[in-house]
Amino acid sequence: MALVVICGQPCSGKSTAAFFLAEALKESESNSTIRIIDEASFHLDRNQSYANMTAEKNLRGALRSEVDRSVSKDNIIIVDSLNSIKGYRYELWCLARAAGIRYSVLFCDVEETQCKKWNEQRMEKCEAAYDDTIFEDLARRFERPDRRNRWDSPLFELSPYKDGIQKSSAAIVDAVSYLTKKVDSKTRDVKILHPTIATQSTRFSEANSLYELDRATQEVTNVIVEAQSQSIGGPLNGISLGQGLPTLNMSRSVGLPELRRLRRTFIKLTGQTSLSGPPPPSDAESAKRMFVDYLNRELGTT
């Protein structure tokens, strides 16, 4: 139904805003499931997650993937994180568009000096806080949302330092109204994003790739099981899987449980790689070739 991106400086009250927004939505007339996706969902330490650019990129990738899996027309997803980079907010907006749902940004507008004081107070109380160097770096790189950008619109602005945060805060009330308002042909103040042909094609391609990957690896597994059933239990060298495919060489007999484990690991690794690189192979021959190469490496011969 909707995707809400919480945005703000570190220690600006984002998690509090996400909590009260979720509570207000639950008390509304909406029948949608409300879910908050945040760093705590992955049991991640905030300083480790922002220790360097690689760690930060991995965190954003994990959050984005979870959002992609979760968005639907039946729930409201609240992303509680810094979401400080406008390019990343654009990626989240694209996920909402691909799902054909509503989108909005809830911005906690607090001056950096006040955020720094709140962070220091958390340190004194031994609560979750940012190291000084990490805080300074994140604050320096923060990109303020601009309602003129489609990925920052509609923009609801909170002032946690001046007004505090409650379910009755004007920005939260307005956000709830926007997210739950019934839409008909006459509605003009609520925008539901619609997937483009390019977005639909990409999603179909990814799903088709995963289907081919699953089917191809299962075919290879079946060939190995059949070949071993016809052998006496010794090494199986030179198993042919078809023209143009590498030969499968195994230095020992491999049981079905181990084959299944190797297959699951290969599919998982291939899927993780596709998050930051090219998509999984979309044809069976390429998938088989990659899987056989993987098995040859894992089973000790090349």
Side-chain angles (χ1 to χ4, degrees):
M1 181 178 181
L3 174 63
V4 184
V5 175
I6 308 293
C7 176
Q9 292 271 19
C11 290
S12 59
K14 296 182 298 299
S15 295
T16 302
F19 172 79
F20 279 120
L21 175 61
E23 291 299 302
L25 285 167
K26 291 174 184 177
E27 294 177 5
S28 69
E29 297 180 358
S30 173
N31 295 321
S32 300
T33 300
I34 314 300
R35 183 188 173 197
I36 297 176
I37 296 177
D38 56 10
E39 294 153 24
S41 304
F42 302 94
H43 307 288
L44 298 173
D45 177 83
R46 62 179 57 190
N47 287 306
Q48 292 179 354
S49 298
Y50 293 101
N52 51 62
M53 295 306 295
T54 300
E56 185 176 338
K57 181 179 178 181
N58 290 338
L59 170 63
R60 290 199 301 268
L63 290 169
R64 182 176 59 246
S65 298
E66 188 63 25
V67 170
D68 193 18
R69 286 191 291 266
S70 302
V71 289
S72 75
K73 297 183 184 296
D74 300 320
N75 58 25
I76 298 177
I77 301 299
I78 302 171
V79 188
D80 174 21
S81 186
L82 290 175
N83 300 316
S84 57
I85 300 174
K86 60 183 179 182
Y88 183 61
R89 295 197 295 272
Y90 172 74
E91 292 178 16
L92 295 176
W93 178 85
C94 288
L95 294 181
R97 181 180 62 177
I101 59 177
R102 306 179 198 193
Y103 173 91
S104 66
V105 174
L106 181 60
F107 174 40
C108 293
D109 188 6
V110 182
E111 293 293 332
E112 179 183 336
T113 53
Q114 183 59 43
C115 291
K116 188 172 183 179
K117 289 181 181 178
W118 283 344
N119 188 59
E120 292 171 349
Q121 290 173 3
R122 291 184 184 182
M123 287 183 176
E124 293 172 357
K125 297 177 182 178
C126 296
E127 298 175 350
Y130 296 93
D131 292 342
D132 290 338
T133 54
I134 292 178
F135 179 92
E136 295 292 342
D137 177 60
L138 293 174
R140 177 181 56 82
R141 292 190 289 113
F142 178 74
E143 296 177 329
R144 187 184 180 92
D146 184 343
R147 65 179 71 253
R148 292 173 296 181
N149 298 326
R150 51 186 173 172
W151 54 86
D152 290 333
S153 178
L155 179 65
F156 302 101
E157 299 185 55
L158 281 167
S159 298
Y161 177 63
K162 296 178 182 179
D163 306 324
I165 306 175
Q166 299 293 332
K167 285 185 292 185
S168 58
S169 296
I172 290 181
V173 171
D174 291 344
V176 170
S177 175
Y178 179 84
L179 295 169
T180 59
K181 186 174 183 178
K182 294 182 179 180
V183 177
D184 55 34
S185 59
K186 298 180 180 179
T187 304
R188 294 290 180 268
D189 57 344
V190 175
K191 183 176 182 181
I192 297 179
L193 302 178
H194 297 286
T196 63
I197 294 177
T199 303
Q200 290 175 318
S201 298
T202 299
R203 283 182 165 258
F204 173 78
S205 176
E206 290 175 352
N208 189 57
S209 297
L210 292 173
Y211 168 76
E212 291 292 348
L213 184 64
D214 183 79
R215 185 170 67 90
T217 53
Q218 185 60 58
E219 288 181 4
V220 172
T221 301
N222 292 341
V223 170
I224 297 172
V225 171
E226 179 65 21
Q228 288 189 137
S229 68
Q230 296 178 5
S231 70
I232 308 177
L236 288 173
N237 293 317
I239 299 178
S240 176
L241 294 161
Q243 185 176 2
L245 295 175
T247 300
L248 178 61
N249 299 302
M250 300 193 305
S251 59
R252 58 182 175 82
S253 179
V254 181
L256 184 57
E258 183 177 1
L259 282 173
R260 287 173 174 167
R261 179 183 60 78
L262 289 168
R263 178 172 172 265
R264 286 196 303 269
T265 302
F266 172 77
I267 292 175
K268 182 178 180 180
L269 290 172
T270 305
Q272 289 176 342
T273 301
S274 69
L275 293 176
S276 57
S282 58
D283 63 280
E285 298 302 302
S286 297
K288 288 179 181 178
R289 185 178 301 108
M290 291 173 60
F291 187 40
V292 172
D293 288 340
Y294 171 77
L295 291 175
N296 278 331
R297 291 194 302 270
E298 292 296 314
L299 298 176
T301 63
T302 57

